Amino acid sequence: MLYRRFGKTGLQLSVFSFGAMRFLASKENAIRTAQAAVDLGINHLETARGYGESEKFLGAALRAGLPRERVYITTKIPPQQDGSAMRRAIEESLSRLGIDRIDIFDLHGINNREQFDLGMGCLPAIRRAMDEGLIAHLGFSTHAPLDLLLETIATGEFESVNLHYYYFNQRNAPAIALAHQLDMGVFIISPTDKGGQLFNPPARLVELCAPYTPIAINHRFLLADPRIHTLSLGAAHPGEFAPHLAVADQGGPLSEGEKAILERLERQYQRVPSLCEQCYQCLPCPEDIHIPEVLRLRNLALGFEMNDFGRYRYAMFGNAGHWFPGRKANSCTDCGDCLPRCPVGLEIPALLKQTHALLYQGERKRLWGSSS
Ligand code: SF4
Ligand code: SF4
């Protein structure tokens, strides 16, 4: 296992972090899974107030023998209405985890302007908790649009950021660059699941990535970038770490073989008919359709046969609040507002209809609802 300095926090974190959101089948399973992570060299355990019993189960794992002095614990709490509510929430998390200091405290879900404003309002209470030694370092997690993500980073208030950035979704590349410029720790949220459900890849993608696996190629794309420090693994049980470990000791530049695979993937992507270039110039849509994200799912389905992933994400439109904003593509009224804004002249309404027909299979909510 490699370790990297997590930006200005100065902490040396393992390049994989244990994301404790899916290990909840039982307390015993949680303890075994957290212990397996530590046995593999993972020293960063990441939970959230909103992940059901996760904080309590991590606390149980610590009481069962997980060496507190060898692990760093992150917990995440959403912005609260005021400082006293935030103070109570911090004390509750400390109590649930059974620890006297949170190593990294993340404001959870700075996803829109309202959450940003609430989060900024909580900073004095968080700073007081830091002065008292209850919190060592402050970061934030986000699913925000890029402009708000950049604005949050640029406040200079945070030492680290948890964000979405993967081979199959590089929209947040400017945020990686700005975080690096400000010497922030960079934590990648769920590279395997949110990064394309790469644990269950379509045959076409397997073929294109061979002799590597899609999981390994995505991990290597991320870890070959020294501005990125740690990737979350949300294992549900001890057996789920194995597919990731092949690259846990590989942090250097991409090999010639890996570069050749990425070039092959790029060539394939460029062949998608009516490829959406992800420039975001078509927004806003009066019907609140997240046109670029809908068409990104289309790109991936047509380019790499990632239809299952597309269905999984598409089903969340309209069901996940500010965590995954926008309505489904069948809300398009053909108003035509977006058409002159698309620099490559895509027939956006027709492509939206096609994508809805391709990916709509029903509704789906986020694992932890819309408030966590
Ligand atoms: S044509 Fe459809 S997608 Fe484009 S702006 Fe109008 S409603 Fe939105
Ligand atoms: S303007 Fe066109 S290319 Fe750009 S994101 Fe929108 S649909 Fe895609």
Side-chain angles (χ1 to χ4, degrees):
M1 182 66 64
L2 297 174
Y3 298 83
R4 285 184 177 168
R5 175 180 168 276
F6 194 50
K8 64 178 96 171
T9 70
L11 304 177
Q12 289 287 330
L13 297 193
S14 46
V15 292
F16 287 112
S17 294
F18 174 52
M21 63 150 58
R22 295 176 57 248
F23 72 157
L24 302 169
S26 67
K27 187 161 80 176
E28 290 64 37
N29 178 67
I31 292 171
R32 279 200 311 276
T33 309
Q35 186 62 57
V38 172
D39 290 346
L40 292 166
I42 291 174
N43 71 353
H44 181 215
L45 312 177
E46 187 244 5
T47 179
R49 166 56 56 85
Y51 297 166
E53 297 296 289
S54 177
E55 287 182 327
K56 285 186 181 166
F57 283 4
L58 265 192
L62 288 166
R63 282 194 301 283
L66 215 60
R68 176 69 182 100
E69 67 288 357
R70 278 176 42 208
V71 296
Y72 298 111
I73 294 180
T74 288
T75 195
K76 310 190 290 297
I77 295 177
Q80 305 289 305
Q81 286 304 324
D82 56 40
S84 53
M86 178 52 82
R87 174 68 183 210
R88 279 196 303 280
I90 291 168
E91 288 176 359
E92 279 164 23
S93 281
L94 285 164
S95 158
R96 285 155 67 97
L97 286 157
I99 58 179
D100 54 17
R101 184 197 67 242
I102 296 165
D103 300 307
I104 305 169
F105 174 86
D106 284 340
L107 269 175
H108 193 188
I110 306 291
N111 297 342
N112 60 18
R113 180 62 54 189
E114 185 190 354
Q115 295 301 305
F116 175 90
D117 290 343
L118 280 175
M120 292 298 129
C122 292
L123 284 180
I126 296 170
R127 295 281 174 214
R128 262 197 308 282
M130 295 179 83
D131 291 342
E132 293 168 30
L134 303 180
I135 291 172
H137 300 284
L138 174 62
F140 73 100
S141 78
T142 179
H143 295 209
L146 180 59
D147 53 354
L148 182 61
L149 169 49
L150 291 171
E151 183 182 335
T152 312
I153 290 175
T155 61
E157 297 283 358
F158 302 98
E159 295 166 81
S160 61
V161 56
N162 296 15
L163 79 174
H164 293 262
Y165 176 72
Y166 319 108
Y167 176 74
F168 293 107
N169 186 357
Q170 297 177 37
R171 166 76 180 158
N172 286 337
I176 300 281
L178 184 59
H180 175 67
Q181 210 179 308
L182 298 179
D183 193 25
M184 291 171 69
V186 174
F187 172 108
I188 301 295
I189 300 169
S190 183
T192 302
D193 183 44
K194 306 297 186 302
Q197 287 202 318
L198 304 177
F199 51 83
N200 182 27
R204 183 76 183 116
L205 189 58
V206 171
E207 187 188 312
L208 286 162
C209 292
Y212 309 99
T213 64
I215 286 179
I217 278 292
N218 186 45
H219 286 342
R220 283 290 297 133
F221 167 77
L222 295 168
L223 292 178
D225 185 340
R227 303 171 304 171
I228 290 170
H229 305 121
T230 188
L231 321 182
S232 77
L233 295 184
H237 55 76
E240 284 194 356
F241 292 104
H244 308 276
L245 297 178
V247 300
D249 293 319
Q250 296 175 31
L254 294 169
S255 68
E256 291 308 312
E258 289 163 344
K259 279 187 209 160
I261 297 301
L262 295 181
E263 283 161 16
R264 186 198 288 173
L265 289 169
E266 180 60 21
R267 280 196 302 277
Q268 175 66 18
Y269 189 67
Q270 292 300 333
R271 284 190 202 117
V272 170
S274 301
L275 181 77
C276 168
E277 308 273 355
Q278 296 288 287
C279 69
Y280 277 57
Q281 291 181 38
C282 46
L283 295 180
C285 160
E287 300 303 324
D288 195 27
I289 298 167
H290 193 331
I291 303 168
E293 183 64 7
V294 172
L295 296 186
R296 183 179 77 88
L297 300 178
R298 175 185 178 276
N299 288 348
L300 296 179
L302 297 190
F304 305 116
E305 297 178 359
M306 292 169 71
N307 299 49
D308 288 347
F309 174 68
R311 290 185 190 110
Y312 153 64
R313 301 303 282 172
Y314 188 75
M316 287 170 57
F317 285 120
N319 287 311
H322 58 75
W323 296 91
F324 198 72
R327 296 167 70 200
K328 289 192 170 54
N330 61 341
S331 305
C332 176
T333 58
D334 276 310
C335 74
D337 284 7
C338 54
L339 292 170
R341 296 196 288 258
C342 179
V344 289
L346 295 182
E347 287 296 329
I348 294 171
L351 296 178
L352 293 179
K353 283 188 189 72
Q354 182 201 50
T355 308
H356 187 79
L358 187 67
L359 300 180
Y360 181 68
Q361 277 203 323
E363 308 296 325
R364 185 181 185 279
K365 293 201 182 296
R366 275 184 89 238
L367 179 57
W368 292 112
S370 59
S371 61
S372 59

